[in-house]
Amino acid sequence: MRTLILGSTSRYRRELLGRLGLPFEVAAPEVDETPRPGEPPAELARRLALAKAHDVAQRHPEAVVIGSDQVADLDGEPLGKPGDHGRATAQLRRMSGRTVIFQTAVAVVCRSSGLVQQDLAPVRVEFRRLSHEEIERYLQAERPYDCAGSAKSEGLGIALLDAIHSDDPTALVGLPLIRTCRMLRAAGLQVP
């Protein structure tokens, strides 16, 4: 069986992939994640997921490599990881009472076999109207500064939401496992 490599430094993706019970390694992709001028969030997520998988696969041509990326899409504008409290506060204020599409892309590449697969798992998230106090309490409690959209639905961030609409529930956390499993089976891996 080929080595499976997750081309990501995300602990969330690592935890999700671990659910499948497959042995895997982790390698950090070296990809410039700067959006191109006018690039829609869905295209940005797709491009970065594929670039990450290709970058790691170039260094490990016999391996099956997973690349993934998520971009929060607010009316066609990409929202990245906030990085700090001030930007997280601003993001949550902007998303309050609005619907945000979390564009989560996944790609699976194996250079030696020629396999290249890619898919997008959009997740529509409806945020409640949030008061300044609610935003502040949430950010102090969870500090989601490394998450696109400044909220962790798998934690306390679920309290900020009215609804989540998705056909691949783990996509919102950062790796759409239903789609990933499909691609891993196409790569010849046995899942489960």
Side-chain angles (χ1 to χ4, degrees):
M1 188 164 82
R2 294 187 186 275
T3 301
L4 177 61
I5 300 177
L6 175 62
S8 175
T9 57
S10 165
R11 64 184 169 107
Y12 307 108
R13 289 188 183 105
R14 195 168 43 248
E15 289 169 8
L16 287 170
L17 187 57
R19 291 184 188 182
L20 301 182
L22 296 171
F24 68 94
E25 298 172 12
V26 175
E30 297 173 19
V31 172
D32 179 2
E33 297 190 29
T34 306
R36 294 176 178 157
E39 185 174 30
E43 288 180 26
L44 173 61
R46 282 181 177 274
R47 177 176 62 82
L48 293 177
L50 192 57
K52 291 173 182 181
H54 275 302
D55 178 72
V56 174
Q58 183 175 340
R59 291 179 268 145
H60 304 275
E62 296 296 322
V64 173
V65 179
I66 300 169
S68 187
D69 196 76
Q70 182 178 75
V71 179
D73 178 346
L74 181 61
D75 298 330
E77 178 189 343
L79 301 178
K81 297 173 185 172
D84 64 36
H85 188 84
R87 286 193 288 271
T89 300
Q91 279 189 358
L92 288 173
R93 283 183 183 165
R94 287 187 63 207
M95 295 184 301
S96 176
R98 313 265 313 273
T99 297
V100 178
I101 308 297
F102 286 80
Q103 306 286 3
T104 307
V106 62
V108 173
V109 171
C110 179
R111 285 181 64 103
S112 66
S113 72
L115 176 83
V116 177
Q117 293 205 350
Q118 183 182 37
D119 206 349
L120 184 70
V123 180
R124 201 179 63 172
V125 177
E126 297 173 24
F127 280 80
R128 292 187 308 101
R129 290 216 175 273
L130 305 170
S131 70
H132 176 72
E133 293 78 17
E134 287 175 311
I135 291 171
E136 188 61 27
R137 279 195 310 270
Y138 170 68
L139 292 176
Q140 289 299 326
E142 201 152 60
R143 300 183 185 277
Y145 308 138
D146 62 344
C147 297
S150 304
K152 295 181 185 180
S153 65
E154 68 276 20
L156 181 58
I158 198 74
L160 306 178
L161 309 179
D162 271 335
I164 298 172
H165 306 277
S166 174
D167 66 356
D168 204 333
T170 59
L172 187 54
V173 182
L175 184 64
L177 287 180
I178 293 171
R179 286 165 171 82
T180 301
C181 287
R182 187 179 307 132
M183 292 180 198
L184 293 178
R185 285 191 292 272
L189 300 179
Q190 293 182 351
V191 186

